[in-house]
């Protein structure tokens, strides 16, 4: 099972959140969880006016062995208005590393971490925590 939590953070106060959302999916091949503005395609949706987040921004996909990966999907623009960073608890020491535009990262079985979608033009971010239960 993959469990996701998402908080939209705005303003100069990093503690000011626009709400917490949660989603999960069984670790079965082909299972998908998406994060973005499109409420019809995404289990976790950001505010509609947060245009630095693509319609479908992040896609979590379960592979054939029950392992999960996350991909920052490429949108219509060559240069995105956001940046995505991720950290793995334990493995990366909690240090946020860049996830390249269009790039994919594997999530460790039994591991947890965080992805942060940061608006390059203002003090807003979307924080997505994950826990891959084995």
């Amino acid at each position: 099972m993959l469990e996701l939590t998402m908080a939209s953070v705005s303003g100069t106060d990093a503690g000011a959140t626009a709400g917490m959302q949660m989603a999960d999916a069984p670790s079965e091949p082909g299972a998908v969880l998406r994060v973005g503005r499109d409420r019809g395609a995404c289990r976790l949706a950001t505010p509609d006016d947060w245009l630095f987040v693509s319609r479908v921004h992040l896609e979590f996909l379960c592979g054939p062995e029950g392992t999960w990966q996350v991909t920052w999907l490429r949108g219509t623009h060559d240069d995105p208005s956001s940046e995505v960073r991720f950290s793995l608890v334990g493995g990366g020491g909690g240090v946020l590393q860049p996830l390249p535009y269009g790039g994919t990262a594997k999530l460790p079985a039994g591991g947890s971490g965080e992805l942060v979608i940061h608006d390059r033009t203002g003090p807003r971010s979307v924080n997505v925590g994950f826990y891959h239960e084995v």
Side-chain angles (χ1 to χ4, degrees):
M1 167 117 15
L2 182 69
E3 299 173 352
L4 301 178
T5 58
M6 183 187 83
S8 303
V9 181
S10 64
T12 55
D13 179 11
T17 62
M20 179 79 72
Q21 297 179 42
M22 298 169 70
D24 60 30
S27 293
E28 298 173 353
V32 177
L33 289 169
R34 294 183 182 99
V35 176
R37 286 191 336 265
D38 185 341
R39 296 184 189 289
C42 300
R43 291 274 304 274
L44 296 176
T46 61
D48 293 335
D49 63 339
W50 286 30
L51 300 181
F52 70 98
V53 178
S54 300
R55 205 175 63 71
V56 179
H57 203 91
L58 299 175
E59 181 177 80
F60 294 82
L61 175 65
C62 187
E65 291 85 34
T67 58
W68 286 87
Q69 65 181 29
V70 59
T71 301
W72 179 8
L73 300 174
R74 289 189 69 85
T76 56
H77 302 301
D78 289 333
D79 187 26
S81 57
S82 65
E83 61 182 33
V84 176
R85 296 187 176 277
F86 73 98
S87 69
L88 303 174
V89 174
V95 176
L96 290 172
Q97 308 169 44
L99 179 64
Y101 187 42
T104 298
K106 292 187 185 273
L107 306 181
S112 62
E114 178 180 38
L115 290 112
V116 178
I117 305 168
H118 178 72
D119 185 350
R120 291 164 73 188
T121 65
R124 297 184 295 186
S125 67
V126 178
N127 298 5
V128 180
F130 66 86
Y131 175 68
H132 183 193
E133 181 180 300
V134 286

